[in-house]
Amino acid sequence: MTVPKVATTNGPKPDDGASAKLGPGRRILKKSQDASTSTIDLISFGKIHVTRGINRLTEGIMSSGKGSFVEYEGGKRLLDFTSGIGVTSLGHCHPKVTEAAVKQCQTIVHAQCSIALHRPYLELVERLLPLMPHPSLDSFFFWTSGSEAIEAAIKMARITTGRQQIICMQGGYHGRTYGAMAVTRSKTIYSEGTYPIMPGVFCVPYPYWHQHGLPPSTPSSTLVAQSLYQLDLLLAQQASPKDTAAIIVEPFLGEGGYVQAAPEFLQGLRDVCDKHGMVLIVDEVQSGFARTGKFFNIEYSGVRPDIMVIAKGLANGYPLSGVVSRKDLTDKLQPGTLGGTYAGNAIACAAATAVADALIEEDILSNVQARSAELLGALNELRSDPTVAPYILDVRGTGLMVAVEFTSPCSPGAQYDPVSKKDSPKTLAWRVSQACFEKGLLILTTSAYEVIRFIPPLNITQMEIKAGAAIFAQAVRQVIGEGLA
């Protein structure tokens, strides 16, 4: 079998009898029998022709995945603790999900939502209704990405309340499209150079000790009180409740640092929304579908969302997101308010239906809870090592959404931060993630702080958790041993 090879051309050259009208430095793909050379050339080709605006953890070409493992061209096999950023929650190429997608490919691929209903869409709604965290969540719209779903949720909130303003959380992440970007406050890179973005957005601190300049030992009750106090001030000084449509929150902060919100905070938001007639939008894009040990993280608080946004693990790698709300709210929308060319694609819906079935049939919740205890136990054991302890600020997480936060000499606001450590190696989290890659573990950093996040498949085995934790421990000790960078 032949594979592509990259050839460079500085002008038109004949190629198998055809002329190539390419400018200086442009490249065309040719064929070669040498697979390793082709991989190198393809990576070089990608560096030129794939937009620089995408950031990547590695420069390799991922060629296949099975269960908890991925393989790169060239044969490097890695244990995957990223799950495609929380997407392949049942592992790569789960047989039940693959079978459902293949079968749907042979039936109908694209039944556009503004033309007709299709069976996989309705069957998915049927499967999801019993899983909802509150029985009032009974009206579904499926789209393609999490960002799109956030856009729809904001639009719905504004239309149904007749108000414009949105309150979001410091450290929150909701996407890169314009409305989603406006309510994203985890890193400035997502909106840098794009202003003016969507107006009418205000921000309050999430109950994460960093957001208040407090140490990790700060009681949760103090963090909750401080955040809700800031919300009250915001409503009194900047954003009139009469003009505010919604509060949007991740019950488990994702890109902002992997932090579980206390039930009291989420209940406080619910109370404010009820008092002022606002809509509570709960973003479960990353924390939903059993990721944290319940079908949805908001269940830990018992708080009722008015609108809930879902994506990522919903379809195990097929592009699908959703906005779930109350029928009395969505009945206020005029037909045509929502839609999209690929919204609720039939193949993705069929795959998601298989995911919902597998979550129940394979008792995924029990596995998440067992593997979570093992992972957190291994990480806390590492933290107890006297040579490592000075460099780990926190081990935290719920279910299989787990984080380790390292010290830093130059974190945001370091001169005021009580946990800033001047003699700490720089970029510890990134260096550890790179060392993990070399040792056979794919893992990601997150947030403006030095945080590594663990997002393994939800059906990961005990042996795989043990192996991943061991590689991580080796990488941490190696990087700390290398000293200051």
Side-chain angles (χ1 to χ4, degrees):
M1 177 180 177
T2 57
V3 292
K5 182 180 180 180
V6 176
T8 304
T9 179
N10 289 316
K13 290 183 181 180
D15 182 24
D16 296 330
S19 62
K21 297 180 179 180
L22 298 175
R26 297 283 296 280
R27 293 186 170 211
I28 59 175
L29 288 173
K30 288 190 173 181
K31 293 182 178 180
S32 167
Q33 298 290 342
D34 186 345
S36 61
T37 301
S38 175
T39 298
I40 293 169
D41 285 346
L42 276 173
I43 291 170
S44 178
F45 178 83
K47 286 180 179 179
I48 293 172
H49 294 292
V50 176
T51 179
R52 186 171 175 263
I54 300 173
N55 189 31
R56 279 179 298 279
L57 176 67
T58 70
E59 288 296 339
I61 297 175
M62 193 180 291
S63 57
S64 64
K66 191 72 173 175
S68 300
F69 292 85
V70 293
E71 190 166 312
Y72 280 59
E73 286 193 10
K76 188 173 182 66
R77 187 169 182 260
L78 298 106
L79 185 55
D80 185 7
F81 272 31
T82 73
S83 299
I85 315 185
V87 172
T88 54
S89 292
L90 294 177
H92 294 276
C93 299
H94 186 282
K96 186 179 182 71
V97 178
T98 300
E99 180 184 4
V102 169
K103 182 179 179 181
Q104 188 59 43
C105 279
Q106 298 168 335
T107 307
I108 189 166
V109 170
H110 180 64
Q112 211 281 328
C113 69
S114 296
I115 295 175
L117 295 168
H118 59 77
R119 183 171 289 274
Y121 195 116
L122 299 175
E123 289 178 346
L124 178 57
V125 171
E126 184 181 40
R127 296 300 202 286
L128 295 183
L129 275 170
L131 305 184
M132 289 297 103
H134 194 274
S136 64
L137 296 173
D138 60 357
S139 180
F140 293 76
F141 170 64
F142 296 119
W143 218 341
T144 312
S145 71
S147 291
E148 287 177 320
I150 291 293
E151 299 283 349
I154 292 171
K155 188 176 186 178
M156 288 167 59
R158 284 178 160 181
I159 290 172
T160 57
T161 62
R163 306 172 186 176
Q164 296 300 305
Q165 294 176 168
I166 308 291
I167 296 173
C168 63
M169 301 294 137
Q170 188 174 343
Y173 177 85
H174 303 285
R176 291 178 173 91
T177 53
Y178 257 69
M181 183 171 62
V183 293
T184 288
R185 302 300 169 95
S186 57
K187 292 178 185 173
T188 55
I189 187 62
Y190 302 128
S191 57
E192 184 178 302
T194 65
Y195 279 75
I197 55 176
M198 186 181 77
V201 177
F202 299 85
C203 185
V204 295
Y206 200 82
Y208 174 23
W209 42 272
H210 268 306
Q211 309 291 4
H212 295 287
L214 296 170
S217 58
T218 304
S220 174
S221 58
T222 300
L223 298 173
V224 168
Q226 286 295 315
S227 291
L228 292 177
Y229 170 64
Q230 290 298 322
L231 175 59
D232 283 349
L233 283 182
L234 179 72
L235 293 171
Q237 297 175 328
Q238 300 181 58
S240 168
K242 293 180 180 180
D243 296 323
T244 302
I247 297 175
I248 184 167
V249 64
E250 298 166 276
F252 191 108
L253 193 67
E255 167 73 11
Y258 269 41
V259 181
Q260 175 69 62
E264 295 80 6
F265 175 68
L266 297 169
Q267 185 59 57
L269 298 183
R270 178 73 268 171
D271 292 344
V272 168
C273 287
D274 288 342
K275 179 180 179 181
H276 297 293
M278 301 172 190
V279 169
L280 181 61
I281 302 173
V282 172
D283 182 342
E284 290 266 14
V285 167
Q286 191 167 170
S287 58
F289 291 94
R291 170 57 57 187
T292 64
K294 290 186 179 292
F295 286 116
F296 297 96
N297 185 268
I298 196 69
E299 294 176 57
Y300 285 105
S301 67
V303 166
R304 172 185 57 81
D306 295 302
I307 300 174
M308 188 172 74
V309 181
I310 55 179
K312 288 191 182 288
L314 169 60
N316 210 58
Y318 293 86
L320 189 67
S321 61
V323 186
V324 193
S325 187
R326 308 194 314 265
K327 191 173 186 300
D328 66 285
L329 276 183
T330 60
D331 280 353
K332 296 179 181 180
L333 303 174
Q334 292 296 320
T337 301
L338 301 177
T341 300
Y342 300 107
N345 173 264
I347 298 170
C349 285
T353 300
V355 169
D357 289 343
L359 291 176
I360 303 296
E361 293 167 3
E362 299 177 22
D363 194 14
I364 293 297
L365 290 178
S366 294
N367 194 68
V368 170
Q369 292 156 9
R371 302 292 85 79
S372 174
E374 291 160 3
L375 177 58
L376 288 166
L379 296 176
N380 279 309
E381 182 179 349
L382 172 65
R383 187 185 187 185
S384 68
D385 182 337
T387 63
V388 173
Y391 302 98
I392 293 184
L393 283 174
D394 200 11
V395 173
R396 55 180 179 259
T398 308
L400 287 176
M401 202 166 174
V402 173
V404 171
E405 181 168 345
F406 296 100
T407 57
S408 172
C410 53
S411 60
Q415 66 270 40
Y416 310 111
D417 193 337
V419 296
S420 179
K421 184 176 172 60
K422 293 182 179 179
D423 62 346
S424 175
K426 295 179 181 178
T427 62
L428 258 175
W430 180 82
R431 291 168 63 193
V432 168
S433 74
Q434 294 301 302
C436 284
F437 179 77
E438 294 303 320
K439 297 176 186 296
L441 176 67
L442 206 56
I443 200 164
L444 290 164
T445 62
T446 191
S447 88
Y449 301 101
E450 292 297 318
V451 180
I452 290 269
R453 51 177 158 174
F454 296 75
I455 336 170
L458 305 182
N459 54 359
I460 193 167
T461 68
Q462 183 178 31
M463 291 302 295
E464 289 166 345
I465 280 285
K466 185 176 180 180
I471 292 173
F472 179 75
Q474 293 167 14
V476 169
R477 291 188 173 99
Q478 174 188 311
V479 171
I480 290 174
E482 292 169 353
L484 300 175

